[in-house]
Amino acid sequence: MTSVTFAPLLLLAQSVRPPAAPYTVPALDQGMPAAIELYQADRGILTRFHDSPLSPISDARMRQFYQAWSGALDRLDFERLDRESRIDWLLLKNRIGYELHQLDETKTRFGEMSALLPFAPTLLDLKERRQRQDPLDSQAAAAQLAQTGKQLEELLHWVNGGAKGNTPPPTVARRAIQTIGDLRSMMKEWFGFYSDYDPLFTWWVTEPHKKLDQDLDKYAAAIRDKLTGVKRDDRDTILGDPIGREALLKELRFEMIPYSPEQLVAIANEEFAWCAAEMRKASRELGFGDDWKRALEHVKTLYVPPGKQTSLTLELANEAIAFVEKHQLVTVPALARDTWRMTMMSPERQRIAPFFLGGESVIVSYPTSDMPHETKMMAMRGNNIHFSRAVVHHELIPGHNLQAFMTARYRAYRRPFRTPFWIEGWALHFEFLLYDLGFPKTAEDRVGMLFWRMHRCARIIFSLNFHLGKMTAQECVDFLVDKVGHERDNASGEVRRSFESAYGPLYQAAYMLGALQIKALHEDLVKSGKMSSREFHDAILRGNSIPIEMVRASLKPDVPLTHDFEARWLFRGEIRP
């Protein structure tokens, strides 16, 4: 018989992890690309360990990390760096500033929820101690959960009574619901780590944890019913959390956009007016006079029957690739052309993204058999032949597919700086360019492309006005229906995608604004004859995804780069809001 020897229980009980040492930036003597890769690797391992943004310990640890890197960059001799390294330095400095800003924002927004979540520090502390592998007193942990349960009972009574005396705004209540969901997930992971593996823990904690999870669920439901005005089973009402003008200005500064939100809305209105005029021209060609919405309704009826949307996608993809190659607009590597893939979008995902999505794969949107009849018709009308003709090349080549292919191969170390102004702006810039070069063959094609261009204008208008507190989510939906001509379900999906998903507050505005920035550079460098179209576009792709202001600095050696650089490029000229 083999004997089994157990380590002394006393030794195991006293085993603790040493305190974390302050982060120190290693020597930055291998150049800026290597420094950025080192920064990203160290940041990655820290954020995976400190994965509770609401935790004071996580906040302090990450804040010290960013401050250490900011100081290390300041100690570098900026004047001795070459031009691309100066761009890298500015990109990293800007990114660190943004991360510190995000820590401040998280702390502020969590503080606004404190009246609704007084129990959160207790749960976060349990999670942090597990992460550090501190010795666990199972009986004490069970008592903490039980005490939290009593807090939740009192809070439930308070909320059901109307939260008298300290009623939080609906936006804060909605944010608290999301945070409670995150805390529930965190505690399930915490419980799963010990359960069964530690019999004493299982004996003490199983029931308190089960009750806590149920209490958190009930509490979140009460907040939703009593403080947000939205019932728990309401899947249609769109929630959102406007960030306000000052926060928008900070977001714009980090994206190197020197305009105010109001000026950007003015730009969008100018672009919208241009689109409407072009729509009227196409409408007259189709026999509908100046009533372009009648022309739009006609185009919506030109959809393919079930089973044919994938064939249409293949045809449109091949057509776009042939067009950009014929006009020598950008280099299309054979491997990129030969390996793009196609998948179908699930019905549930179509609630958030009612149109095509893309990247390495194009994700095709089309109704499924179990959708209600009206929903099917809206989906088919919203993904008609001529709308799709503008979307496929946006998602594939020369759009997001080609972007992803090139950014994986050129200056890949710049991935931490990826921005929707570059990603979405590039794809929409090509919509502009192809329109100007005659890619739309018919008036119906022009209507389809103009519809999307109007939609990008509308995204600036409704998203910024929502965050400025000037429009509600429902008013945003109505705006897309009434002014752009969206099907209502598709408009709801667009607004839900804007305000209930992980997209940042400037993401929807970035399409048109990024495209206008690239268009301004194209006019400066290509139309002037300084670069060919292919040279221009290849250079942008090989510079990777960075703010367009930094693309401009890379392509135009006369743009001064100093360590205190601030974005001042008025790519649209002076704007009066």
Side-chain angles (χ1 to χ4, degrees):
M1 180 180 294
T2 303
S3 62
V4 179
T5 303
F6 292 96
L9 292 178
L10 181 61
L11 176 63
L12 287 174
Q14 293 175 341
S15 180
V16 295
R17 180 181 291 221
Y23 178 85
T24 303
V25 180
L28 303 181
D29 53 5
Q30 300 298 312
M32 284 305 303
I36 291 168
E37 290 176 340
L38 177 62
Y39 162 86
Q40 188 65 359
D42 286 357
R43 179 186 178 278
I45 200 167
L46 278 170
T47 54
R48 288 190 294 274
F49 185 86
H50 296 285
D51 58 353
S52 298
L54 301 179
S55 162
I57 294 175
S58 295
D59 175 89
R61 183 66 165 158
M62 296 310 302
R63 196 175 293 275
Q64 190 263 324
F65 169 79
Y66 295 129
Q67 290 169 345
W69 266 95
S70 183
L73 288 178
D74 288 339
R75 290 189 291 274
L76 288 178
D77 188 346
F78 184 87
E79 299 302 322
R80 296 188 66 179
L81 299 175
D82 62 38
R83 189 163 185 85
E84 287 299 323
S85 294
R86 289 188 182 192
I87 290 173
D88 290 335
W89 188 98
L90 290 168
L91 288 168
L92 184 53
K93 187 75 171 179
N94 184 64
R95 186 66 199 179
I96 291 168
Y98 181 72
E99 295 291 359
L100 286 166
H101 162 68
Q102 287 295 95
L103 290 178
D104 291 339
E105 284 293 297
T106 298
K107 191 171 184 178
T108 298
R109 289 161 75 83
F110 186 42
E112 292 171 349
M113 297 184 287
S114 60
L116 291 172
L117 306 175
F119 53 87
T122 297
L123 305 184
L124 290 166
D125 180 62
L126 287 171
K127 189 263 192 301
E128 290 281 358
R129 284 192 280 154
R130 188 209 72 74
Q131 191 78 303
R132 294 192 304 268
Q133 293 298 292
D134 290 354
L136 177 68
D137 183 331
S138 298
Q139 183 176 356
Q144 284 179 294
L145 297 189
Q147 180 60 37
T148 301
K150 291 180 180 179
Q151 276 185 290
L152 285 166
E153 289 177 6
E154 294 173 0
L155 288 165
L156 193 61
H157 179 74
W158 174 64
V159 167
N160 284 330
K164 296 176 182 178
N166 193 20
T167 305
T171 53
V172 172
R174 294 165 189 167
R175 196 187 313 153
I177 293 170
Q178 177 63 52
T179 304
I180 290 168
D182 294 341
L183 291 171
R184 288 180 69 194
S185 297
M186 182 189 78
M187 292 308 295
K188 286 178 181 177
E189 187 274 335
W190 173 83
F191 179 78
F193 179 83
Y194 297 105
S195 180
D196 285 337
Y197 174 76
D198 183 339
L200 192 61
F201 173 89
T202 306
W203 193 91
W204 277 109
V205 178
T206 297
E207 283 303 315
H209 171 263
K210 181 180 178 180
K211 185 177 185 304
L212 175 69
D213 187 64
Q214 293 170 345
D215 289 344
L216 287 170
D217 189 36
K218 291 177 185 176
Y219 181 50
I223 292 175
R224 187 178 184 96
D225 291 344
K226 302 295 183 178
L227 302 183
T228 69
V230 180
K231 299 298 181 183
R232 196 177 193 194
D233 58 353
D234 182 351
R235 299 177 72 244
D236 297 324
T237 299
I238 300 170
L239 306 177
D241 195 357
I243 66 172
R245 188 174 188 275
E246 289 305 311
L248 277 178
L249 286 170
K250 290 178 182 178
E251 294 280 340
L252 287 167
R253 187 176 75 248
F254 288 120
E255 289 288 359
M256 301 186 180
I257 304 292
Y259 291 105
S260 71
E262 293 82 4
Q263 288 174 312
L264 298 179
V265 171
I267 290 172
N269 282 319
E270 290 178 0
E271 286 293 316
F272 196 97
W274 181 91
C275 292
E278 287 290 297
M279 274 284 206
R280 287 192 291 271
K281 292 179 187 177
S283 178
R284 288 194 290 269
E285 288 182 36
L286 293 170
F288 295 104
D290 285 341
D291 188 357
W292 63 263
K293 287 189 177 179
R294 289 178 61 204
L296 187 66
E297 285 301 307
H298 162 68
V299 167
K300 287 181 180 180
T301 66
L302 304 177
Y303 46 78
V304 297
K308 299 298 182 181
Q309 190 80 338
T310 52
S311 298
L312 173 67
T313 302
L314 177 60
E315 177 185 337
L316 297 176
N318 290 338
E319 185 181 12
I321 293 169
F323 190 90
V324 298
E325 291 186 324
K326 175 184 176 181
H327 290 269
Q328 300 183 28
L329 301 180
V330 65
T331 299
V332 181
L335 189 60
R337 183 194 63 214
D338 297 341
T339 57
W340 67 265
R341 304 192 305 277
M342 189 187 309
T343 59
M344 300 301 294
M345 191 180 299
S346 69
E348 185 59 32
R349 193 173 186 186
Q350 288 183 51
R351 283 175 50 81
I352 301 294
F355 309 108
F356 287 69
L357 296 175
E360 192 167 298
S361 295
V362 61
I363 308 170
V364 180
S365 184
Y366 197 83
T368 57
S369 61
D370 56 351
M371 287 182 177
H373 178 73
E374 289 186 0
T375 303
K376 283 181 183 176
M377 295 308 299
M378 287 189 193
M380 293 170 74
R381 285 162 55 81
N383 290 281
N384 63 71
I385 296 169
H386 302 285
F387 283 15
S388 298
R389 197 164 190 273
V391 172
V392 170
H393 68 71
H394 179 108
E395 303 297 348
L396 284 176
I397 295 172
H400 296 327
N401 176 275
L402 184 60
Q403 286 179 302
F405 184 92
M406 298 297 282
T407 55
R409 291 160 176 79
Y410 295 93
R411 295 193 184 274
Y413 67 88
R414 284 181 173 170
R415 284 180 175 178
F417 314 124
R418 68 194 308 268
T419 165
F421 289 82
W422 189 92
I423 296 167
E424 302 296 355
W426 164 275
L428 183 54
H429 159 70
F430 264 96
E431 290 185 43
F432 291 1
L433 191 56
L434 266 59
Y435 187 91
D436 293 342
L437 292 174
F439 183 70
K441 298 175 181 177
T442 66
E444 286 93 346
D445 285 344
R446 299 209 315 275
V447 168
M449 294 189 77
L450 288 166
F451 167 81
W452 285 115
R453 195 157 172 170
M454 295 178 86
H455 176 61
R456 314 308 189 192
C457 301
R459 277 179 161 169
I460 298 175
I461 296 166
F462 83 72
S463 66
L464 294 187
N465 278 323
F466 174 82
H467 285 295
L468 288 169
K470 295 180 179 180
M471 292 178 74
T472 65
Q474 186 56 52
E475 287 172 337
C476 294
V477 173
D478 294 340
F479 180 80
L480 289 178
V481 173
D482 298 337
K483 299 297 185 182
V484 185
H486 270 287
E487 299 296 302
R488 185 160 292 275
D489 279 4
N490 295 343
S492 296
E494 278 294 298
V495 175
R496 183 173 286 107
R497 177 185 185 218
S498 301
F499 304 140
E500 289 189 350
S501 61
Y503 290 107
L506 293 181
Y507 197 96
Q508 305 302 1
Y511 287 75
M512 176 63 72
L513 297 174
L516 291 175
Q517 287 182 297
I518 298 174
K519 180 183 179 183
L521 276 180
H522 187 270
E523 290 174 352
D524 183 5
L525 297 173
V526 177
K527 289 190 175 181
S528 66
K530 297 174 185 175
M531 300 178 77
S532 72
S533 194
R534 174 176 283 173
E535 289 171 338
F536 174 78
H537 292 117
D538 286 356
I540 292 176
L541 286 177
R542 295 185 182 197
N544 215 288
S545 175
I546 58 177
I548 310 300
E549 178 78 69
M550 290 290 96
V551 173
R552 176 173 177 263
S554 179
L555 298 182
K556 291 174 64 66
D558 57 329
V559 174
L561 291 176
T562 59
H563 75 281
D564 58 351
F565 176 89
E566 288 186 20
R568 293 187 175 89
W569 176 41
L570 298 178
F571 54 90
R572 188 68 175 206
E574 295 289 343
I575 297 292
R576 297 183 66 182

